Amino acid sequence: MKSNANISDELLNAFVDNELETNEKSEILDVIGRDDALKGRVCELRGLKEMVKHAYHHPPMHEAAAENVMRLRRPQYVQNIRRIAACVLLLLLGGVSGWFIATKSESRNHSYVAYVSRAAHNINSATGQGNIIFQVSTSNPLRLKAVLDEAESLLEASRHENRQLNVEIMANAEGVDLLRADVSPYGKRIGLMQAKYPNLGFLACGQAIRTLRSSGIAVHLLPNTGVASSAAEEINKRLQQGWDYARI
Amino acid sequence: MKIFSLFCGVDAFQQQLEQIRPKLYRVAFSWSHNAALADDLVQETMIKALKNAAQLRDPALMNSWLFSILANCWRDHFRQHRDMDDIEELEDHRCIHETTPEDEHAQTQIVDRVRNAVAMLPMGQRQVLTLVDLEDFPYIEVAAILSIPIGTVMSRLCRARQSLKILLKELAPQQTARVSHIRRVI
């Protein structure tokens, strides 16, 4: 029989978190019935648990959080196209291939997540084009150099292989420094790369620019640099278009 | 009509992600105590989830899979910003000690007091505590999310609650001694 003394704090925590087997739970409940001190310890732990839960029940929302809810949703027309395509396919296949569809869709249902991944990455595989978006979020010069090196080596390799490769470099947070005319350590190199590779694009995150401006910093971007409303939105868009994504 | 679900698979996945977003945000905020950073972490988690959706073999495990991505994003964030710190032992005192009069007033309220106390816990303990208390994850899932043994989950949780108890007492507003003066009125 257990007593207050041989009930460890860890065991009591497990009791409060409902992690114990029925017999262990019964033993502790027996002791609680006889021992007010143990009852006090349990009440204290439950109180702490409730306080933590309560403290984060309504965490403060960041301004961008509401926008973010929409970021992962694709435009309505894309959803409609998929539904229309589904209707057309249904008509075509009809009853003749009903059994086949049933089997196929059942197996797909189990691995629909794999389908999601394929849909997200291989949409453009038929065209033979390659697309990749790089994200850089830090102003660390080594990382800024790495993203340029990586993009350049891929573009150079694809040029040799006579393949078309579209590369986008998305700079957000502190990474925006890469594209700031007065700050970037690679302004000249970026200009040369833009002239050499027409399929290379540079985008700065609009949110990061707004943050800099709101703290009184004047932001001047390098020539031929685009601005996306937000990095996450641009990356989501590209992922949905089947682009590959790499974060440096 | 299963063919519809086949075509709408991406949407279903995204809808599931959106449903879990508030939970991810709550935990990310409890780890970072910074709304903008928590929002970034959640957004990064969502992007990684979309990108690596194929890695999720069993949709029933989606919840803990997403929280492990969040834990990795949080770890990566610290690797990028604090190369020399050990995340497990990290205590961010900064947000506690940079107090303003408004903060001091807010600290008298229980929510702020608890958040401040949680923010003072070492990161490893904070992660375990919030996953168990906020999201009701069983110990075994917390162990999987944070890639630590279940014994470590139990000991960290135990230490976290012991420290929390002490910190909450320390952070409680000091009662000013009320001195009653008896004045002669006649």
Side-chain angles (χ1 to χ4, degrees), chain B:
Chain B
M1 299 304 283
K2 283 182 178 176
I3 192 142
F4 272 105
S5 65
L6 186 154
F7 277 90
C8 300
V10 180
D11 290 336
F13 184 70
Q14 287 188 3
Q15 276 167 13
Q16 280 178 289
L17 282 182
E18 286 301 341
Q19 281 166 6
I20 300 174
R21 179 192 279 275
K23 290 166 178 271
L24 290 167
Y25 179 80
R26 184 168 39 233
V27 169
F29 178 78
S30 72
W31 291 353
S32 63
H33 293 94
N34 177 324
L37 177 57
D39 188 45
D40 279 352
L41 286 166
V42 172
Q43 192 61 13
E44 201 175 325
T45 302
M46 307 286 255
I47 289 171
K48 283 190 176 166
L50 273 175
K51 190 168 177 279
N52 301 314
Q55 289 176 5
L56 178 64
R57 302 283 174 211
D58 179 0
L61 298 176
M62 186 163 176
N63 222 13
S64 52
W65 178 67
L66 284 170
F67 277 93
S68 15
I69 298 176
L70 178 68
N72 288 336
C73 289
W74 178 233
R75 189 174 287 273
D76 289 347
H77 171 79
F78 270 96
R79 282 197 184 129
Q80 281 169 14
H81 293 88
R82 299 181 180 206
D83 291 341
M84 302 305 288
D85 284 333
D86 179 358
I87 189 169
E88 309 302 348
E89 298 305 324
L90 191 74
E91 297 181 41
D92 34 4
H93 286 283
R94 273 186 315 153
C95 56
I96 303 304
H97 294 310
E98 288 172 5
T99 50
T100 62
E102 289 82 6
D103 291 337
E104 279 169 16
H105 172 70
Q107 277 178 13
T108 59
Q109 295 173 0
I110 187 73
V111 166
D112 297 280
R113 229 164 57 225
V114 176
R115 284 184 192 168
N116 285 342
V118 172
M120 290 175 88
L121 295 175
M123 186 51 69
Q125 293 179 24
R126 198 188 310 171
Q127 285 183 303
V128 170
L129 178 86
T130 51
L131 287 170
V132 171
D133 284 355
L134 303 186
E135 297 308 322
D136 296 320
F137 274 116
Y139 292 176
I140 188 95
E141 281 191 49
V142 175
I145 289 168
L146 300 175
S147 305
I148 53 176
I150 193 163
T152 311
V153 171
M154 292 178 76
S155 58
R156 278 187 191 170
L157 185 65
C158 189
R159 287 204 304 273
R161 284 181 178 153
Q162 281 167 353
S163 307
L164 200 60
K165 197 168 71 175
I166 297 164
L167 287 166
L168 282 171
K169 276 181 192 155
E170 284 174 7
L171 292 173
Q174 300 296 313
Q175 295 288 328
T176 48
R178 288 181 180 275
V179 181
S180 46
H181 299 278
I182 300 170
R183 281 184 285 173
R184 186 185 290 273
V185 290
I186 300 174

Side-chain angles (χ1 to χ4, degrees), chain A residues 88-115:
Chain A
V88 171
L89 205 63
L90 273 174
L91 286 170
L92 284 174
L93 299 177
V96 180
S97 51
W99 65 269
F100 177 74
I101 294 167
T103 316
K104 196 77 176 166
S105 56
E106 189 134 333
S107 64
R108 284 289 200 114
N109 210 23
H110 289 299
S111 61
Y112 81 103
V113 179
Y115 164 73

